[in-house]
Amino acid sequence: MNENPAAPEEGSVRPSEDVVAGVGRTQTELLEVAGLVDVVPKENLPPMKAPCSDDYAGDLYSASHSWRVDQIPEGQMRVAMDRLHEGLPGRGWRVVMYEPNNSQNRRLELRVEHEEGELFARAAFLDSTQPHVPDTYESEIRFTVFTPCY
């Protein structure tokens, strides 16, 4: 049983339209906190819902939205990541991770979850100026926002 009445339980009944719209609104918040409101996101498909894994029985879904920003100086991207790390806790987000991940390119990764338990977000910065990153890669920040199953 969920002891926090404000937080939805995994698999709780929530209108899909509301959940998907909420995930979409998070893009604006993240770009604002990062100081990237004038940047046009790439690979910016509309937020969507998808069935949860086959391990779940019934009609359980998760909503998600992914996009990336690029073609801005690496220094500005690094500052954007720091702004997210420092600014999101004041907006109801809890930082779960902020460090280079263990991928081959060691992207600086920020993982956060909303205090109400309804949203999770990830921002991963690839700095192509680093010596361990192949010359064929371009600097970018990839964002993903998603929900638990509902």
Side-chain angles (χ1 to χ4, degrees):
M1 182 167 153
N2 188 348
E3 295 181 20
N4 180 356
E9 293 185 39
E10 182 172 75
S12 64
V13 176
R14 296 161 55 194
S16 290
E17 300 80 23
D18 294 349
V19 175
V20 172
V23 167
R25 284 189 300 272
T26 304
Q27 179 184 44
T28 303
E29 179 181 15
L30 294 178
L31 291 174
E32 179 183 291
V33 172
L36 299 173
V37 291
D38 295 330
V39 175
V40 177
K42 306 281 177 64
E43 298 174 15
N44 187 23
L45 298 175
M48 58 182 248
K49 76 173 187 176
C52 287
S53 77
D54 293 336
D55 295 339
Y56 290 100
D59 295 325
L60 292 178
Y61 296 90
S62 177
S64 65
H65 188 199
S66 297
W67 69 94
R68 69 183 173 96
V69 297
D70 61 3
Q71 298 187 359
I72 58 176
E74 287 82 4
Q76 186 178 348
M77 289 186 198
R78 176 60 192 230
V79 169
M81 293 293 290
D82 289 340
R83 286 180 179 151
L84 286 167
H85 177 239
E86 295 166 8
L88 287 174
R91 292 181 174 229
W93 294 87
R94 183 174 70 83
V95 174
V96 177
M97 174 184 157
Y98 188 57
E99 60 192 43
N101 64 24
N102 58 5
S103 71
Q104 178 181 349
N105 297 321
R106 308 225 358 106
R107 291 176 183 255
L108 175 62
E109 186 171 342
L110 172 68
R111 292 184 186 186
V112 294
E113 60 184 36
H114 200 271
E115 290 175 352
E116 295 175 0
E118 62 191 33
L119 287 173
F120 303 94
R122 174 183 179 262
F125 168 41
L126 174 66
D127 184 350
S128 68
T129 65
Q130 297 299 310
H132 57 272
V133 177
D135 292 340
T136 56
Y137 286 72
E138 293 185 27
S139 295
E140 67 179 10
I141 301 175
R142 289 198 175 264
F143 293 87
T144 303
V145 178
F146 59 98
T147 68
C149 293
Y150 64 94

